[in-house]
Amino acid sequence: MRQGPHAPGLQPVPALSRRRPRARRAVVALALAGATAVSVWLGQQAWSLWEGTPFPVTDPAATAQRLDEDTQQAYDALGLPDARLDTEWSDSGRTAEEGSCSYRGLNHLEDQLSDSPPSVPGVVVVRTVWALKGVPAQTGQAALRRARSALRRKGWHVTTYTAADKDIDLSATPPDGGATVRLVTYPRDRLEVSASADCARVPQGTAVDETGEVPLPPQQLPWQLSGFRHSRQTSH
């Protein structure tokens, strides 16, 4: 006698029961993948804490060009069209020097606490400096106030704004970070503009002289001041 489709001993397996083992395997696989990712992340964080965050690798020449672009924006924000370039300012120029970047991480804590912490070889600070003359104290103060407002409107972060007697010191970082631009008024109607990049490692194969300085291409001044430098050079 034939048994019907629902006869004892021939009950069909519910589809849900067949899918449960697959679902469990998928959950286990996801859990393992997540645990692996967390373990890798924790390992990276531990290594970074011990050895310190690696310095970014950047081309000093490209960094110098970016700094010159930042100082152009700072000059525009000052609003001093009648000021002239001080071609005899002692610190004028571009530099990319070792010696200012210390080791990071707990592994180098003793070095960091030293009175003379060692610098990291191959890691430099790129800096550009020039100055204006013909900027009386009150004019310079007003210019730095304008610059503070103008740079903030452009998304810059003003980190320092201090006044001592007639001198004002303003420091600000551009929206993309990585550098600090400093504007300082000085006696004798001078106003210095400088920009320094964060510590960065030079690419392998970059030439470094015996003093630890990386040769850089000529400094690019704001285009409004290029005529002053040209006049100075041709006068000799």
Side-chain angles (χ1 to χ4, degrees), residues 36 45 71 74 82 112 131 150 197:
T36 300
Q45 296 303 307
T71 58
D82 296 328
Q112 297 169 28

Side-chain angles (χ1 to χ4, degrees), residues 98-176:
E98 295 181 348
S100 301
C101 303
S102 302
Y103 286 92
R104 300 170 171 175
L106 296 177
N107 189 31
H108 305 286
L109 184 60
E110 183 177 353
D111 291 333
Q112 297 169 28
L113 297 177
S114 171
D115 292 335
S116 301
S119 59
V120 184
V123 177
V124 302
V125 170
V126 180
R127 191 166 183 257
T128 186
V129 183
W130 46 270
L132 299 171
K133 62 181 180 179
V135 185
Q138 291 185 348
T139 302
Q141 293 169 9
L144 263 66
R145 287 193 293 269
R146 283 195 301 271
R148 178 178 59 175
S149 299
L151 293 175
R152 280 176 171 169
R153 287 195 298 269
K154 292 183 177 181
W156 288 54
H157 176 56
V158 176
T159 57
T160 303
Y161 186 81
T162 58
D165 295 329
K166 296 181 180 180
D167 297 330
I168 297 181
D169 187 334
L170 184 154
S171 296
T173 57
D176 55 355

Side-chain angles (χ1 to χ4, degrees), residues 59-61 64 94-97 206-218:
D59 177 12
R94 280 175 168 179
T95 56
E97 297 177 327
T206 301
V208 179
D209 64 22
E210 62 277 3
T211 65
E213 187 171 341
V214 179
L216 295 173

